[in-house]
Amino acid sequence: PRCTAMALRLVALAALGAAQATPAPVFDYTFGANCPFCKEFGTTLKQLNAADGIAAAVDFNLRAAIRGAAPAWDCPDEDDGCPMTKYVLCAFSAKKDTQDEVDFMTCWDESTASPASKAQSCAEQLKLDWSAISACAGGAEGVALEAAAALTFVTRFPEHKTGRFGVPHIYIGGVEQQNHDYQSLLSALCAAGAKAGACGGEVVQI
């Protein structure tokens, strides 16, 4: 009986370790910095991120839809060169953690100010270094960030090097999401293994 109890305890500990080692589901969001539908989606992104335990239980991965070559980068609903996307990428580069990316993106989407004004306002709201972001957007660092983002985009979506690409574009756990409303996305995150109060499960502490 003692051996049986010890064996059961070891099995339970192994199961617990496996559960703890399970990676967080990835919320992979490709956005356009001036896309009308992305601006509308910003409210949903903010709501999802604020849902009980989701911010800690999910790996939010935000990517820019950008392709082409410098200086005439191509982004949805933007002028050549993608000046808005450059501000967002520079802000992401100045982030303290992933949460800053989500918070900056939702702040950006909510604002109707000029690109520079809302970039500064959102940066200051999140206590990001605006002087560094501004210098980045006006210099070689911003160009390099656009080049890196464009390479990431065309590597992930080689069939969309040219032509139409719809944004917002969302994958959860590697599965493309056709429905972008809050409840559908929350359900997909929970089904993908998010351990959060919003899923009726254990809240992950950070």
Side-chain angles (χ1 to χ4, degrees), residues 13-48:
L13 288 172
L16 177 60
Q20 291 175 337
T22 301
V26 177
F27 184 94
D28 195 331
Y29 170 37
T30 302
F31 65 86
N34 194 41
C35 152
F37 296 111
C38 297
K39 291 178 182 179
E40 293 177 6
F41 180 71
T43 301
T44 303
L45 177 62
K46 187 173 185 177
Q47 186 179 10
L48 272 175

Side-chain angles (χ1 to χ4, degrees), residues 97-194:
D97 51 38
T98 303
Q99 184 63 46
D100 282 341
E101 289 190 2
V102 176
D103 290 342
F104 184 89
M105 194 79 254
T106 55
C107 176
W108 174 274
D109 287 335
E110 289 172 351
S111 177
T112 59
S114 68
S117 293
K118 65 181 177 180
Q120 181 174 4
S121 175
C122 293
E124 290 175 348
Q125 180 178 315
L126 297 174
K127 295 181 171 52
L128 303 180
D129 186 344
W130 167 243
S131 62
I133 294 170
S134 179
C136 168
E141 183 183 359
V143 176
L145 289 173
E146 286 185 307
L151 178 60
T152 297
F153 178 84
V154 299
T155 299
R156 181 166 175 73
F157 302 109
E159 70 279 19
H160 291 294
K161 287 183 179 180
T162 60
R164 181 177 176 80
F165 181 80
V167 283
H169 211 85
I170 300 168
Y171 287 79
I172 292 177
V175 179
E176 185 172 2
Q177 303 299 304
Q178 302 301 325
N179 298 314
H180 295 169
D181 61 281
Y182 169 78
Q183 193 56 56
S184 295
L185 294 174
L186 178 62
S187 296
L189 287 171
C190 297

